[in-house]
Amino acid sequence: MLLSVLKVVPKQGATLIPRLMSTKTSSIEQPLRIAYFGSDRFSLLSLGKLLDYQKLNPNRILSIDVITRSKKKSGRKLKNLTDVPIGHYAEDHSMVIHRADTASDILGLSESQQYDLAIAVSYGILIPAKFLKSLRYGGLNVHPSLLPKYSGSSPIQYALMNDDLFSGVTVQTLHPTKFDRGDIVSQSDEIPISNDDNYTSMEEKLGNIGADLLVKTIENELFLPPIDSPRNNYPHSLASKMSSSSSEINWSLTTSRQIKRLLDALGSVHTYVSKYSKSGSFEESLKVILYDIEEVSSCNDLSMKLPGDSEVVDGKLFIKTIDGYISTPKLKLQYCNEESIPEFIPRIPKRLRSTEKNLKFHAFETI
């Protein structure tokens, strides 16, 4: 059972469930048949807690079917099939799985299956209005932000990139035509974001709290109308989908702290160095990926003056920012494997045809 490996810290603020077995008399006539839409680790945490609750309360939940994306071909010559985390979990627990990649696929389920409630967590596809209308109780969503702040697909990333002091989780109804515009059913307290938090730790932290909120919502039947939405003063903002350019460092505008938080949010950041032709003219920009960064406020041994300038000290690469420095012990140059700085530096003349002792990092350039 997944419950045994989930760590929930009460002081983080959410109202937790002290026990999973229900003693409350239900106003629902029959146990719920749930269609659970999910994909990633965040959605898996809610599914695990919901499955534990069902096992102890079969009078509340009759069945949970998992609806997720199709397996994708991967690897050399696309010979392997890769599944999403929730697909692996559902198979390991012998759950009923349906694969749905489009709205049409979802509508097809309503023709062959009967459900009372839909729960969508990090699914990425808008559940069609026609499907929601086929359900006795509509749908619910677990969203990792304090809505209406950070509606959209990337709330955890935006909270980290903006260096927010706290985040939270919201359980809302599923709107028939728009993402994150449903009625707020339940909301956690403000959950502190620590200096050491990154996407992985926040996903786990908020995922556990969201799972408890979801069970609380089912336990107390908070999804039944009329819904008494809690009031808050959070302004509406959009956390739109991350693009490939989101991780690029703008050295002339970005502080050391902002670069570190960008890394925390996305797992890696990138910049560019120039490669030259044999005649010494600019040939192309090569991407450089950084995975491990530390903020350095000051260092007497460094003489860099302009953002993007770099020096090597004690096996680490130091790069100037607009307010200080960052350092990294390794990097990955385009077309090359990840390397430590002592491995990378001697290979610069051959790879970049550069005679400069220290690299200059910059935004993307073309001829």
Side-chain angles (χ1 to χ4, degrees):
M1 288 172 55
L2 186 63
L3 180 63
S4 62
V5 299
L6 297 182
K7 295 179 68 177
V8 181
V9 183
K11 68 178 182 179
Q12 289 174 330
T15 302
L16 306 182
I17 310 301
R19 56 181 177 177
L20 292 177
M21 185 172 292
S22 174
T23 58
K24 177 184 175 182
T25 302
S26 175
S27 58
I28 296 176
E29 296 178 358
Q30 297 177 339
L32 295 171
R33 296 165 297 181
I34 294 176
Y36 191 94
F37 297 82
S39 59
D40 60 8
R41 172 69 180 167
F42 183 81
S43 60
L44 188 157
L45 293 169
S46 283
L47 176 62
K49 182 63 72 74
L50 197 64
L51 188 61
D52 288 339
Y53 179 80
Q54 180 208 8
K55 291 176 180 177
L56 293 174
N57 299 277
N59 61 318
R60 291 300 186 94
I61 299 177
L62 178 65
S63 62
I64 304 173
D65 286 8
V66 171
I67 298 94
T68 191
R69 305 297 188 90
S70 297
K71 296 180 181 181
K72 292 185 177 181
K73 293 182 179 181
S74 64
R76 191 173 184 180
K77 297 183 180 180
L78 300 179
K79 289 185 176 180
N80 301 323
L81 286 176
T82 302
D83 206 352
V84 291
I86 207 166
H88 287 297
Y89 179 88
E91 288 183 350
D92 290 344
H93 289 76
S94 302
M95 301 182 72
V96 175
I97 307 175
H98 302 283
R99 303 287 177 170
D101 300 305
T102 66
S104 297
D105 293 339
I106 297 172
L107 289 175
L109 290 173
S110 62
E111 298 173 0
S112 59
Q113 308 292 326
Q114 288 187 325
Y115 299 111
D116 302 303
L117 178 70
I119 298 174
V121 186
S122 300
Y123 185 58
I125 298 176
L126 189 70
I127 309 302
K130 185 177 179 181
F131 183 84
L132 293 176
K133 288 180 180 178
S134 73
L135 308 173
R136 181 174 297 183
Y137 304 112
L140 295 172
N141 165 253
V142 182
H143 185 80
S145 81
L146 295 170
L147 289 172
K149 185 177 183 180
Y150 295 148
S151 65
S153 62
S154 309
I156 296 177
Q157 292 94 325
Y158 271 72
L160 288 165
M161 289 190 301
N162 291 333
D163 207 8
D164 289 353
L165 297 178
F166 61 86
S167 185
V169 187
T170 302
V171 174
Q172 62 175 328
T173 62
L174 289 175
H175 192 280
T177 61
K178 297 179 181 179
F179 285 109
D180 300 328
R181 291 302 179 95
D183 295 325
I184 294 177
V185 177
S186 182
Q187 202 161 54
S188 75
D189 292 338
E190 295 177 353
I191 310 303
I193 301 176
S194 74
N195 189 55
D196 295 328
D197 274 323
N198 56 25
Y199 180 86
T200 301
S201 66
M202 289 301 297
E203 180 185 49
E204 191 81 9
K205 185 188 301 186
L206 298 181
N208 279 316
I209 291 171
D212 283 312
L213 281 180
L214 179 61
V215 170
K216 172 189 172 184
T217 298
I218 300 298
E219 162 76 10
N220 294 324
E221 299 173 358
L222 302 179
F223 55 89
L224 296 178
I227 293 174
D228 184 18
S229 296
R231 296 184 179 183
N232 65 48
N233 296 316
Y234 305 115
H236 176 266
S237 59
L238 180 62
S240 55
K241 185 177 180 180
M242 297 287 104
S243 68
S244 58
S245 63
S246 298
S247 62
E248 182 176 354
I249 301 171
N250 187 329
W251 296 103
S252 62
L253 297 176
T254 316
T255 66
S256 300
R257 178 66 176 176
Q258 288 170 331
I259 296 171
K260 176 62 168 62
R261 272 319 200 190
L262 185 64
L263 176 74
D264 291 337
L266 303 181
S268 66
V269 292
H270 74 272
T271 183
Y272 293 90
V273 291
S274 296
K275 180 181 177 181
Y276 298 92
S277 65
K278 291 182 179 179
S279 64
S281 60
F282 172 77
E283 185 173 293
E284 64 175 325
S285 290
L286 295 182
K287 180 185 283 190
V288 177
I289 301 176
L290 309 177
Y291 301 98
D292 187 3
I293 284 175
E294 290 184 2
E295 298 173 66
V296 181
S297 58
S298 63
C299 182
N300 295 330
D301 295 332
L302 301 176
S303 59
M304 297 169 284
K305 298 186 180 191
L306 297 177
D309 288 350
S310 71
E311 289 183 21
V312 176
V313 178
D314 295 332
K316 288 187 176 182
L317 184 69
F318 289 76
I319 309 173
K320 183 77 173 71
T321 67
I322 61 174
D323 69 336
Y325 309 90
I326 61 169
S327 69
T328 182
K330 56 187 177 180
L331 53 73
K332 182 184 182 306
L333 180 67
Q334 189 173 339
Y335 311 125
C336 302
N337 294 323
E338 182 179 306
E339 298 170 308
S340 68
I341 299 305
E343 291 173 320
F344 170 75
I345 294 299
R347 296 166 179 165
I348 291 177
K350 182 177 180 180
R351 290 174 175 172
L352 304 180
R353 299 193 186 99
S354 173
T355 58
E356 295 292 329
K357 180 180 178 181
N358 296 312
L359 286 174
K360 171 70 176 179
F361 294 96
H362 55 73
F364 181 74
E365 293 180 66
T366 57
I367 297 176

